[in-house]
Amino acid sequence: MTTATICTIGDEILIGQIVDTNSSMIAKALESIGVQVVEMVSTSDSAEEIESTLNRCSSKSNVVIITGGLGPTKDDITKTTIARLTGARSYINNDEQFAVNSRILAARGIEMSAINRDQSKVPDTCKVIVNKVGTAPCMEFQLNGALMFSMPGVPFETETALPQILASIQEHFNLATICHRTICTFGIAESTLSDMIEDWENNLPDNMHLAYLPNSILGVRLRISIYGTNKEDGEKAIDLQIEKLKDIIGDAIYGYGEDSLQKVLGDILLERNATVATAESCTGGKIAELFTSIAGASRYYWGSVVSYDNSVKINTLKVRASTIDTYGAVSSQTVEEMAEGVRKLLGTDYAVATSGIAGPGGGSAEKPAGTVWVGVSGKNFTVSKMFRFSGRRDININRFASHALNFLRLSILADK
Amino acid sequence: MTTATICTIGDEILIGQIVDTNSSMIAKALESIGVQVVEMVSTSDSAEEIESTLNRCSSKSNVVIITGGLGPTKDDITKTTIARLTGARSYINNDEQFAVNSRILAARGIEMSAINRDQSKVPDTCKVIVNKVGTAPCMEFQLNGALMFSMPGVPFETETALPQILASIQEHFNLATICHRTICTFGIAESTLSDMIEDWENNLPDNMHLAYLPNSILGVRLRISIYGTNKEDGEKAIDLQIEKLKDIIGDAIYGYGEDSLQKVLGDILLERNATVATAESCTGGKIAELFTSIAGASRYYWGSVVSYDNSVKINTLKVRASTIDTYGAVSSQTVEEMAEGVRKLLGTDYAVATSGIAGPGGGSAEKPAGTVWVGVSGKNFTVSKMFRFSGRRDININRFASHALNFLRLSILADK
């Protein structure tokens, strides 16, 4: 099996200032093309450490992927260190990267300085993979018989360049076939789901592997991998298992692959030629943010009123003051009036509203932190539901928002 | 200087299924007591890999901290591997851990099985640090002259045990002092900032180190570290450098340490007893989300109107249709009317509004994707400013939102 090591370079990782998320992103991608990661290592911005780590990793695995240390400032020394290590004699300017960098700097209104100019210069021992979204190019080297890539450390630049890196690895190595499918589920907790599908899981073919990928916004995604068959047979075998799974968990399955609740909701709304608005209290704009993260959302998503203060619920959303006085802001009655209010205010077909206590403070015995009410209103119905969680503030907000989206999805699907 | 390596063990890390957050948590803790982390490494649940990694790490650093691989299932082999590596002759039951485990299992309604019983048994080469919140004890070993700790991998258990591990390290080593300070800057790009402060940076004392930490929401943070002085002298030396830095970049410095623009804005608003509202088009709730990420934001943040559709700008925010017709939705005039509109609608002292093109589609030659107009309105003024970026949709949205917050910050500070 083709093996890889992943090296992240940067003092900010070693002092714990940032969490290294690149390694897991890269590992997932490598795994999807059948490359086995045998080690991840983070090292400091020190030439000696970088050299010894890269020598060790290139001797241990077929592929080495490095991220970080490519910034324009002088604490970043990955490029010069690799140049020395691979015996480079000179630096060559990469015209294509230079053009990208000129454009990026111009867009930001920054004049190109000498250190900016140096960013598109690369050691003569490398092949360049142009970074289209940042100023540091990706570089491909050979070291100790291993194929070695140096990538920028900014996660979205790493992510953008990754497909080209994978393509290059696939060109160099004869990789075993793996087919994957990700099934997106929502509303069933991981341990409950695991109990529900235990028999199904135990009866999967031997060359099929199941992984649980829980996420506070996306729900629990299930990744099925099948090894060593051709693509067509693999896909068929996976289809068969998904049909069986549908019989067990039904509409908890909301999509596949890179689907998200907001993407699937957008598709449902477009199909119905319907529009939606949101009224958010505790989620404070998170649902709006999720809707608008989809390019083209303006065709069905009209807007939101974030009513963090009760005055906004009453004056803008027209929730009755007596409703809040009698039942509280976190109640079935209030979220239903919020949902109706924003639907009428913005003139949409559907609306979803949230009111809850994200914590850590603000809870009571009856309504502890982690409690949220979600209301959904359409032309023919208004419904509400309570959910309760016990996470950290940011995790609670994510869960509130995703459960609101899922409740909206199920309510619209039920609205024939 | 006392050095440490951090080893996380587990196949689930190497396939990218989970992001390793333990390493950064441990690194931060070590750094706070003056221990320098020289490497982080993640390895698989394989005896051979664990042995070679621990031998290498214990030869390279004074302290080795291991997490993971201590579960009751048979794929977890960290304990047996370390037992062999340290020459253990037998396993000894730890009564205190056994009592904890009995209590934990009883609370979960689980009967103690043989594999549960084995969890409180430890190699005779270790000193036990009882895990009070989980069933796998922490163990302290000596290997190749290094002090080595094995900790459970569940982040909450790792975090709970950490203070005792730190105390033991402090007992064993006479630790040098490191002082750090993070300076939060906004509005100056990393390369420009680097040019501006080059002389200052070059004149820092030899025992002082500077790192750049760029982030699309937080701006460019500068971390100053000073080694080998006592805390008081170190803090003083850093203060002195910060004063010099202030003369160069002035109000681009918005805070220190864990500060964020939304946190600092909250403090400014609380100090002035003032309130704020937001009107968001292209940022689609992101600014609201940032404001409400701060616990207690309800004291100054009243809400938002996310006007994704122009009808919401006109009907709810009272932007004149003629303004949008004449100047476009992405214009100085529109964002100023949006800011004024939401300030009056929600009755706050200040308001900030955004309208732009997040991309990838929707741009024009005059207003390419990545263009945003930000408007700020107060009782005495209304101002607007254009910013331009060239990132991916989500990164553009982050930059739009953070630049809006910073423009709001500077506008409020200028409003005497």
Side-chain angles (χ1 to χ4, degrees), chain B residues 366-402:
Chain B
E366 195 200 345
K367 293 171 188 172
T371 304
V372 67
W373 273 96
V374 178
V376 171
S377 177
K379 283 176 179 153
N380 313 313
F381 71 96
T382 298
V383 290
S384 55
K385 192 169 176 182
M386 194 202 67
F387 302 92
R388 194 163 279 173
F389 309 97
S390 60
R392 212 173 54 179
R393 180 179 179 82
D394 55 341
I395 303 294
N396 280 342
I397 291 175
N398 283 350
R399 292 209 169 109
F400 291 177
S402 53

Side-chain angles (χ1 to χ4, degrees), chain A residues 67-73 76-79 119 136-139 150-153:
Chain A
T67 77
L70 297 181
T73 51
D76 285 322
I77 57 166
T78 302
K79 189 158 71 178
Q119 287 216 277
C138 295
M139 296 170 286
S150 164
M151 304 177 77

Side-chain angles (χ1 to χ4, degrees), chain A residues 76-279:
Chain A
D76 285 322
I77 57 166
T78 302
K79 189 158 71 178
T80 51
T81 306
I82 299 178
R84 200 164 49 241
L85 201 57
T86 55
R89 292 175 173 211
S90 63
Y91 284 78
I92 302 166
N93 186 57
N94 183 279
D95 295 338
E96 206 183 330
Q97 188 68 54
F98 183 80
V100 170
N101 295 2
S102 304
R103 206 186 60 229
I104 289 176
L105 292 172
R108 293 185 195 156
I110 300 167
E111 207 164 319
M112 189 172 280
S113 66
I115 56 169
N116 294 137
R117 262 174 214 288
D118 283 345
Q119 287 216 277
S120 55
K121 291 179 186 154
V122 298
D124 60 5
T125 43
C126 86
K127 209 176 98 182
V128 168
I129 296 172
V130 174
N131 178 351
K132 293 185 177 113
V133 295
T135 52
C138 295
M139 296 170 286
E140 178 181 320
F141 299 89
Q142 299 274 350
L143 183 65
N144 300 321
L147 187 66
M148 183 167 81
F149 299 90
S150 164
M151 304 177 77
V154 180
F156 104 92
E157 298 182 25
T158 317
E159 193 181 351
T160 306
L162 210 42
Q164 284 171 276
I165 306 284
L166 298 186
S168 179
I169 294 171
Q170 284 171 315
E171 267 173 36
H172 278 81
F173 298 96
N174 182 18
L175 301 174
T177 317
I178 309 183
C179 298
H180 297 279
R181 194 86 59 80
T182 302
I183 304 154
C184 309
T185 81
F186 200 92
I188 306 175
E190 187 183 3
S191 56
T192 312
L193 185 64
S194 162
D195 283 346
M196 286 173 75
I197 66 176
E198 190 180 3
D199 284 345
W200 171 83
E201 190 178 345
N202 288 338
N203 287 313
L204 289 175
D206 282 345
N207 64 340
M208 217 178 252
H209 177 75
L210 184 75
Y212 288 75
L213 309 168
N215 178 291
S216 61
I217 290 184
L218 294 170
V220 180
R221 287 171 303 155
L222 298 170
R223 196 189 54 229
I224 301 181
S225 309
I226 183 164
Y227 296 87
T229 69
N230 65 51
K231 198 172 162 59
E232 199 184 332
D233 289 349
E235 296 287 350
K236 262 191 212 157
I238 291 176
D239 284 340
L240 187 74
Q241 294 303 330
I242 290 179
E243 285 311 309
K244 289 184 189 169
L245 186 66
K246 276 184 187 167
D247 290 340
I248 309 170
I249 57 171
D251 65 6
I253 298 176
Y254 69 85
Y256 299 93
E258 297 299 307
D259 277 349
S260 59
L261 287 165
Q262 59 270 28
K263 167 77 174 57
V264 167
L265 263 167
D267 294 343
I268 294 170
L269 290 163
L270 284 174
E271 197 183 290
R272 296 186 176 218
N273 198 22
T275 55
V276 69
T278 49

Side-chain angles (χ1 to χ4, degrees), chain A residues 299-326:
Chain A
R299 287 174 294 166
Y300 51 83
Y301 181 70
W302 280 19
S304 184
V305 172
V306 178
S307 55
Y308 218 58
D309 195 75
N310 280 343
S311 70
V312 183
K313 292 187 185 75
I314 295 164
N315 298 330
T316 307
L317 292 176
K318 310 300 177 197
V319 173
R320 284 170 296 183
S322 63
T323 302
I324 296 178
D325 286 346
T326 311

Side-chain angles (χ1 to χ4, degrees), chain A residues 372-415:
Chain A
V372 67
W373 272 96
V374 178
V376 171
S377 177
K379 282 175 180 156
N380 313 312
F381 71 95
T382 297
V383 289
S384 56
K385 193 170 173 180
M386 193 202 72
F387 301 92
R388 194 163 280 170
F389 309 97
S390 60
R392 220 170 49 184
R393 180 180 179 84
D394 54 343
I395 304 291
N396 280 342
I397 290 174
N398 284 349
R399 292 211 169 110
F400 291 177
S402 53
H403 277 77
L405 287 177
N406 193 50
F407 187 50
L408 174 63
R409 174 180 76 91
L410 295 173
S411 303
I412 295 178
L413 290 178
D415 182 32

Side-chain angles (χ1 to χ4, degrees), chain B residues 306-349:
Chain B
V306 178
S307 55
Y308 218 57
D309 194 75
N310 281 342
S311 69
V312 183
K313 293 187 184 74
I314 295 164
N315 298 329
T316 307
L317 290 176
K318 309 300 175 198
V319 173
R320 283 169 296 183
S322 63
T323 303
I324 296 178
D325 286 345
T326 312
Y327 304 103
V330 180
S331 65
S332 165
Q333 291 80 0
T334 297
V335 290
E336 292 195 1
E337 290 189 25
M338 284 170 69
E340 284 169 16
V342 79
R343 187 172 61 77
K344 287 175 187 160
L345 180 71
L346 303 196
T348 56
D349 299 300

